[in-house]
Amino acid sequence: MTRAGFASIIAVLAMLGTGTEAVAQDEGLGEVIVTAMRREADDYSADRPAVGLRRKADFAVVEVAVSGDTRDKAQREAEIYDMIRSAIAAAPRSGVQLAYGERTLQPLTLANYRELTLSGDGRPDSQRTAFLAKVALTGGTDAQAAQTAITAFVKSVKPVGRALMNETGDLTLSVVAPDQYRGAVADAIASDAREMAARVGPDYGVEIEGLSRPVEWARAGLSEVLLYMPYKLVVVPKR
């Protein structure tokens, strides 16, 4: 591939990285839970290269549930919500933040905690609800240390009546505004394209497909995530 061709690739990547207004409503600008794939897409292929940016996640996250089985419904619900209030008050002392949401997270506060929906707990006269406890992975804090902190926090919140709080999910990770790393991901893709072009020989070049896709994310270790665009390199003869 010629130097001009690489310049064109980098220019296109740079333009994609500046489209802030176009993605203003995209979940990539919020705090997202890291799963194996950002979104299910008809044209997604696991065989596409996943060259990108590997970095430490912003938070370790664990689902926490509060359940109660007091026979009187009004008292049962009051006990559950009172325990959530206690958890919100105790969280800062434990270095823990509380949130809710399935894909993008919002802070759980005294202003919105009653928006958590109570559902049946599989037993007569029982209800439960769930939210998320998270610890920032800053400095020397890794996911294992965060898990320890969350477990200690859950144990520190005293039961209210017959309401109990416990961890109900495995530790996962979250990233804040993954689209902010689009430029770094683009640099990694451009570097990979240069290396591939050098390997295929002087009579061939490479073209990149899929650069219009948003940034994706996947877990890459105990505390790390991989941010990438699932692009595709196509080897083509030079004209």
Side-chain angles (χ1 to χ4, degrees):
M1 183 176 286
T2 65
R3 182 176 299 176
F6 282 122
S8 297
I9 290 174
I10 294 172
V12 170
L13 291 171
M15 286 189 292
L16 288 171
T18 59
T20 303
E21 292 183 1
V23 296
Q25 302 301 318
D26 192 272
E27 64 184 2
L29 295 180
E31 181 182 353
V32 298
I33 288 288
V34 176
T35 56
M37 186 174 69
R38 178 180 189 231
R39 57 169 65 84
E40 293 183 359
D42 292 338
D43 61 347
Y44 178 82
S45 171
D47 295 327
R48 289 183 180 177
V51 173
L53 175 66
R54 182 166 176 157
R55 67 180 299 274
K56 196 174 186 179
D58 292 308
F59 289 91
V61 183
V62 175
E63 184 183 80
V64 173
V66 178
S67 60
D69 61 0
T70 296
R71 179 161 298 183
D72 180 77
K73 183 175 183 293
Q75 183 179 349
R76 179 172 67 244
E77 292 182 353
E79 290 174 353
I80 291 173
Y81 282 121
D82 284 349
M83 191 164 191
I84 296 171
R85 283 176 58 91
S86 296
I88 293 171
R93 298 192 296 270
S94 300
V96 173
Q97 301 178 38
L98 303 185
Y100 66 98
E102 294 183 2
R103 294 171 64 89
T104 58
L105 304 188
Q106 302 295 329
L108 182 65
T109 68
L110 293 176
N112 63 21
Y113 75 99
R114 281 193 169 270
E115 296 177 10
L116 295 175
T117 302
L118 301 183
S119 60
D121 195 26
R123 297 170 295 158
D125 300 324
S126 63
Q127 289 174 287
R128 72 187 296 275
T129 191
F131 53 90
L132 301 169
K134 62 179 189 172
V135 170
L137 299 180
T138 56
T141 303
D142 61 11
Q144 185 173 2
Q147 175 70 79
T148 300
I150 291 171
T151 298
F153 157 71
V154 170
K155 291 180 179 179
S156 74
V157 182
K158 295 181 180 179
V160 177
R162 293 185 60 83
L164 299 173
M165 188 168 75
N166 54 75
E167 298 174 46
T168 56
D170 295 330
L171 183 141
T172 186
L173 305 172
S174 72
V175 177
V176 177
D179 280 343
Q180 69 176 298
Y181 302 104
R182 191 175 184 84
V185 174
D187 289 342
I189 292 173
S191 176
D192 182 65
R194 294 189 193 96
E195 181 179 347
M196 184 60 67
R199 290 186 176 188
V200 297
D203 296 329
Y204 295 88
V206 294
E207 294 180 353
I208 302 178
E209 298 177 359
L211 294 181
S212 61
R213 292 178 61 96
V215 173
E216 305 279 343
W217 46 82
R219 191 164 181 173
L222 178 64
S223 305
E224 293 185 319
V225 296
L226 177 71
L227 303 173
Y228 65 98
M229 287 181 283
Y231 69 98
K232 185 176 182 180
L233 286 179
V234 180
V235 178
V236 295
K238 290 184 177 178
R239 297 180 178 86

